[in-house]
Amino acid sequence: MQAKKRYLILLSAGASLALLFYLLIDLPPARNIRHERGGRKEQPWPHFSDPLPPLQPWDHADTEDYNVHTSPRQKRDGNTSVYKGKRCRMDSCFDHSLCQKNGFKVYVYPQQKGEKISESYQNILAAIEGSRFYTSDPGQACLFVLSLDTLDRDQLSPQYVHNLKAKIQNLPLWNEGRNHLIFNLYSGTWPDYTEELGFDIGQAMLAKASISSDTFRPNFDISIPLFSKDHPRTGGERGFLKYNTIPPFRKYMLDVVLLTTCKHGKDWQKHKDARCDRDNAEYDRYDYREMLHNSTFCLVPRGRRLGSFRFLEALQAACVPVMLSNGWELPFSEIIDWKTAAVIGDERLLLQIPTTVRSIHQDKILSLRQQTQLLWDAYFSSVEKIVLTTLEIIQDRVLEQGSRSSLMWNSHPGGLFALPQYSSYLGDFPFYYATLGIRPYPKFTAVIHAVSPLVSQSQPILKLLLSVAKSQYCDQIIVLWNCDKPLPAKHRWPATSVPVIVIEGENKVMSSRFLPYPSIMTDAVLSLDEDTVLSTTEVDFAFTVWQSFPERIVGYPARSHFWDSNKERWGYTSKWTNDYSMVLTGAAIYHRYYHFLYTHFLPVSLKTMVDQLANCEDILMNFLVSAVTKLPPIKVTQKKQYKETMMGQSSRASRWADPDHFAQRQTCMNKFASWFGAMPLVHSQMRLDPVLFKDQVSILRKKYRDIERL
């Protein structure tokens, strides 16, 4: 009898093993949950049909509840507060008609009395209210954002907002969440850390950190990175890749250090065990930042939730992230091709990482590291950039015909500076000429800013107009009439070989010189003050230089900035020194796209300040271009007798005659730096001269011979 029982037990065990073996080799093919981008091959990591559930605490792994099998469908249905609108898409849960009249405008609910808001959520709301999308009128809004803090939905957190469900349902504009955007960094609580928010989001979009691919609603929700409360509100530090070193390896390549510490929370000593002292001592032996900045690849495993702070730390450090968090919908996956900046691993195949990393070529490693820096600077270095990227993604969905291409999002200068409303053709932007293998149009449009009445035929503006018109590269001349006097009669302007168009300035304000006038048809704009003195040769040489640097400002009058340590503020100087950081737009060439960016990207507050002071518009344009390019302008050689103002300090029309002019420019520098979140201007010591300039050869052999003449 006992032998029979043993036989039955062995037979059952054998049948179980056979069934298990059959199931393992007959797994269904993996379903690809992400869209292919540009036909690139997948990473050589195996794909599984189901993402792993969040890791469970070690002390609950043997409980009865943990071992009960729960299907993915049951798990999803359990999170009722998140998934009541799980089938929502832009065409079913978003009212596009709200965006048709006033464009893409965002309304933030007024803060309710007695409601506490975390510092991180205050930064998010401040970024929205400081953006060009913000409106204080809910009747003009296309998108609505709550003033109730939804970032931390961990019930054990002191930042947790109670009774949020009732508070949201009582909002007069809630409308079941339609056209609403909800931000969240932490969901669920110990021990499971599910994606439970504690309230029904209805038809609202979710901008969420650590969101899983199973719960993510494609082209509706947005995955954002997990960031700490210390993450900068604006600006942020640049990435740490200073030089494109080849080979691109650092001090550490395949060293894996596994450490832990008990120092979590303020009362960690009350709960420490016998291993804590030893673990803490081992942890303190290593300098985390030193290892991070000297590593080529960085493991980014999941934390309590799918995302962790290691992700942004690795990006900033130019350490290629090796993603080990199965099922995590990576931040901004809708627009970012993460295969160009990270290694997408599988946490179940940890031992394959060294082999996979070794197989990556040096050129590819350098490319990956460079891309981490582009993505960090463009989308992740501050709360403002994370928020603006979120809003731009939604705007692209709403304005489908004017949405950005993948190249715009994944190449310099990034999607935030490449506005698709300007053009749908990449060749119309100054950043993509090299990528497309094209050159800018070989002509320029001169825009002369006129503020003085035309009373004499010997005025500098008329001499300037004739000199510019003689340039072989001049397509047309636009005179922007910002003078209080009426427009001069047509016969008062000299006859030229190119068209001369006189336009009356809009409201006679300084910012009108940078409006995107439809009459500007060329890529290049030669911006001139009415009192500038330039010869035809100087104009030709400056334009020739610009054709090689179409994304930068190229010109003559240079200025510089410096940090005044005594006053703890930025200073502005016009002294002739060995470096510069600005080229004033009184005599400069730049791409016409910057007119569009100046008008539509910069906030009204900065442009209003410029118009009220009638000053600083040239500084603001330099700030903008340097913020976009991360490069300095280019100064070119000029004649010795060049003067920036022929009208003299005694002329009433000259802005330089105003004693407050210089002080105002100091104020502008600091105001602009505050809005950009950092100082974008870059110093340079480079000046470009013509070949053979000052060389001891015959003047007849020199192409730009007039530049040398006194």
Side-chain angles (χ1 to χ4, degrees):
M1 188 68 180
Q2 295 295 329
K4 186 175 181 181
K5 286 185 178 180
R6 286 197 296 270
Y7 175 79
L8 290 175
I9 292 173
L10 288 173
L11 183 63
S12 300
S16 300
L17 287 173
L19 178 61
L20 179 61
F21 179 78
Y22 172 80
L23 291 174
L24 285 175
I25 54 179
D26 197 31
L27 284 171
R31 53 185 178 90
N32 191 357
I33 59 175
R34 291 181 174 84
H35 299 291
E36 285 289 324
R37 297 179 186 265
R40 293 181 176 84
K41 294 182 179 179
E42 291 289 330
Q43 293 286 341
W45 295 89
H47 290 275
F48 292 83
S49 59
D50 60 315
L52 289 179
L55 296 178
Q56 300 295 326
W58 64 272
D59 54 343
H60 283 254
D62 296 325
T63 62
E64 181 179 353
D65 291 340
Y66 176 78
N67 287 286
V68 173
H69 175 71
T70 306
S71 70
R73 179 181 295 276
Q74 289 173 319
K75 292 177 182 177
R76 290 195 296 268
D77 292 342
N79 290 330
T80 56
S81 69
V82 178
Y83 296 110
K84 282 188 177 180
K86 61 184 177 181
R87 297 187 183 276
C88 272
R89 298 297 183 268
M90 291 298 290
D91 57 352
S92 60
C93 295
F94 193 89
D95 186 356
H96 290 260
S97 65
L98 297 180
C99 313
Q100 294 174 356
K101 183 177 180 181
N102 299 300
F104 186 74
K105 294 295 182 181
V106 183
Y107 173 76
V108 177
Y109 283 84
Q111 186 174 350
Q112 300 180 13
K113 290 184 178 180
E115 290 293 341
K116 294 182 179 180
I117 300 181
S118 64
E119 182 179 354
S120 295
Y121 200 59
Q122 287 177 3
N123 290 339
I124 289 176
L125 298 184
I128 297 173
E129 292 171 351
S131 73
R132 68 182 187 279
F133 302 118
Y134 176 70
T135 178
S136 57
D137 182 1
Q140 295 183 353
C142 167
L143 186 69
F144 300 83
V145 176
L146 306 179
S147 62
L148 296 168
D149 191 343
T150 57
L151 283 189
D152 195 340
R153 301 306 299 154
D154 186 339
Q155 296 179 19
L156 301 180
S157 170
Q159 305 292 341
Y160 182 81
V161 177
H162 296 273
N163 302 320
L164 194 56
K165 179 178 180 180
K167 294 174 182 178
I168 290 178
Q169 294 296 331
N170 291 331
L171 294 174
L173 303 174
W174 176 243
N175 192 23
E176 296 185 356
R178 203 171 184 85
N179 287 53
H180 280 67
L181 176 65
I182 293 173
F183 288 90
N184 175 255
L185 294 181
Y186 307 99
S187 60
T189 190
W190 185 88
D192 300 322
Y193 296 104
T194 64
E195 297 189 42
E196 175 70 31
L197 297 181
F199 66 95
D200 180 14
I201 67 172
Q203 299 179 16
M205 287 180 284
L206 196 57
K208 188 181 186 311
S210 305
I211 190 169
S212 70
S213 300
D214 269 350
T215 63
F216 181 76
R217 296 170 293 182
N219 296 314
F220 193 72
D221 292 332
I222 296 176
S223 176
I224 62 175
L226 180 66
F227 58 88
S228 71
K229 61 182 178 61
D230 299 321
H231 203 55
R233 186 177 71 84
T234 60
E237 294 184 18
R238 296 283 297 273
F240 296 136
L241 182 61
K242 302 301 182 184
Y243 307 102
N244 293 330
T245 53
I246 298 177
F249 298 118
R250 292 178 172 181
K251 182 178 179 181
Y252 306 112
M253 178 68 176
L254 293 174
D255 300 286
V256 179
V257 180
L258 300 178
L259 301 171
T260 186
T261 179
C262 297
K263 297 177 182 179
H264 295 293
K266 296 180 180 179
D267 56 347
W268 65 271
Q269 291 182 331
K270 297 179 181 178
H271 309 286
K272 72 175 186 177
D273 56 24
R275 294 172 45 189
C276 275
D277 291 337
R278 184 182 60 188
D279 289 344
N280 291 342
E282 184 71 11
Y283 183 86
D284 292 337
R285 285 181 54 203
Y286 296 90
D287 186 332
Y288 174 70
R289 290 184 63 85
E290 188 272 337
M291 295 183 67
L292 180 69
H293 295 169
N294 286 282
S295 298
T296 307
F297 294 88
C298 288
L299 301 183
V300 182
R302 68 174 71 202
R304 291 190 180 100
R305 300 166 181 86
L306 290 172
S308 77
F309 297 135
R310 308 292 84 79
F311 177 71
L312 290 186
E313 290 172 353
L315 275 186
Q316 184 182 13
C319 185
V320 180
V322 179
M323 310 306 301
L324 295 172
S325 182
N326 292 23
W328 181 22
E329 188 71 25
L330 295 182
F332 303 137
S333 56
E334 183 176 336
I335 59 164
I336 294 178
D337 184 2
W338 282 110
K339 287 177 289 184
T340 64
V343 176
I344 313 299
D346 190 301
E347 59 192 6
R348 290 170 288 194
L349 300 173
L350 190 64
L351 297 180
Q352 291 189 11
I353 290 176
T355 303
T356 302
V357 167
R358 278 198 191 96
S359 68
I360 302 176
H361 193 271
Q362 293 182 11
D363 294 344
K364 179 63 175 178
I365 293 174
L366 179 59
S367 175
L368 290 167
R369 293 184 62 204
Q370 289 173 332
Q371 193 67 3
T372 63
Q373 301 303 273
L374 186 150
L375 297 177
W376 166 260
D377 287 334
Y379 309 120
F380 298 106
S381 62
S382 68
V383 175
E384 180 184 55
K385 289 180 180 178
I386 294 172
V387 172
L388 290 180
T389 303
T390 302
L391 297 181
E392 293 282 5
I393 291 173
I394 299 174
Q395 181 185 227
D396 274 11
R397 296 172 182 170
V398 173
L399 309 174
E400 293 181 0
Q401 295 181 346
S403 61
R404 297 166 179 81
S405 66
S406 177
L407 178 62
M408 286 180 167
W409 285 113
N410 292 279
S411 62
H412 179 78
L416 299 187
F417 286 122
L419 303 186
Q421 296 83 3
Y422 171 71
S423 176
S424 59
Y425 174 52
L426 293 178
D428 287 336
F429 295 84
F431 325 115
Y432 309 118
Y433 289 139
T435 303
L436 300 176
I438 61 176
R439 292 179 61 85
Y441 183 69
K443 295 279 187 178
F444 67 79
T445 297
V447 179
I448 303 177
H449 186 226
V451 295
S452 305
L454 197 60
V455 296
S456 169
Q457 291 300 309
S458 62
Q459 284 183 222
I461 187 173
L462 300 181
K463 296 178 181 179
L464 176 64
L465 193 148
L466 290 172
S467 295
V468 173
K470 292 177 183 177
S471 171
Q472 59 180 313
Y473 305 112
C474 184
D475 186 68
Q476 64 176 344
I477 299 175
I478 295 175
V479 178
L480 180 62
W481 191 256
N482 265 350
C483 179
D484 295 332
K485 302 295 183 181
L487 288 172
K490 190 174 182 179
H491 70 273
R492 300 286 303 278
W493 301 102
T496 60
S497 58
V498 298
V500 176
I501 304 171
V502 182
I503 299 176
E504 193 153 12
E506 184 176 307
N507 300 323
K508 309 289 186 181
V509 293
M510 295 303 298
S511 293
S512 64
R513 72 182 301 175
F514 296 138
L515 288 174
Y517 294 104
S519 52
I520 301 177
M521 303 299 293
T522 59
D523 292 327
V525 175
L526 172 59
S527 177
L528 297 164
D529 285 342
E530 62 177 10
D531 48 3
T532 299
V533 177
L534 286 177
S535 67
T536 304
T537 301
E538 290 170 306
V539 171
D540 286 348
F541 177 63
F543 180 71
T544 303
V545 172
W546 177 85
Q547 286 181 298
S548 298
F549 305 94
E551 76 281 8
R552 302 207 221 176
I553 298 177
V554 175
Y556 291 99
R559 297 289 184 267
S560 187
H561 75 286
F562 64 94
W563 177 253
D564 188 334
S565 57
N566 293 326
K567 297 181 179 179
E568 295 189 345
R569 56 179 295 181
W570 293 106
Y572 170 90
T573 179
S574 58
K575 293 180 180 179
W576 288 48
T577 61
N578 286 320
D579 61 16
Y580 64 93
S581 57
M582 291 172 278
V583 167
L584 304 186
T585 55
I589 301 176
Y590 49 81
H591 199 280
R592 65 171 176 166
Y593 174 63
Y594 292 123
H595 276 206
F596 188 88
L597 205 59
Y598 185 100
T599 303
H600 296 285
F601 177 81
L602 294 175
V604 174
S605 60
L606 295 188
K607 291 180 288 187
T608 300
M609 177 183 180
V610 164
D611 294 338
Q612 290 175 346
L613 295 176
N615 195 354
C616 302
E617 82 289 349
D618 47 0
I619 297 178
L620 184 54
M621 178 60 85
N622 273 270
F623 267 70
L624 176 62
V625 176
S626 291
V628 172
T629 63
K630 309 293 190 297
L631 295 169
I634 294 177
K635 177 176 172 56
V636 290
T637 300
Q638 62 209 35
K639 293 189 299 184
K640 283 187 178 180
Q641 76 268 27
Y642 173 84
K643 296 180 182 179
E644 292 165 17
T645 165
M646 295 291 292
M647 303 177 68
Q649 295 294 321
S650 61
S651 171
R652 292 182 180 178
S654 175
R655 291 183 291 159
W656 306 96
D658 185 353
D660 294 330
H661 179 80
F662 192 81
Q664 290 172 349
R665 293 171 83 79
Q666 299 272 11
T667 302
C668 290
M669 292 282 294
N670 290 277
K671 182 71 174 180
F672 298 162
S674 175
W675 185 83
F676 280 93
M679 173 53 71
L681 297 178
V682 182
H683 281 103
S684 174
Q685 296 182 355
M686 180 179 72
R687 187 187 74 182
L688 295 186
D689 301 337
V691 177
L692 300 181
F693 179 73
K694 296 293 185 180
D695 285 355
Q696 298 301 315
V697 297
S698 171
I699 195 73
L700 298 177
R701 295 176 59 184
K702 300 181 180 182
K703 182 176 181 180
Y704 301 103
R705 61 192 69 155
D706 289 344
I707 293 180
E708 291 190 30
R709 293 174 180 170
L710 298 177

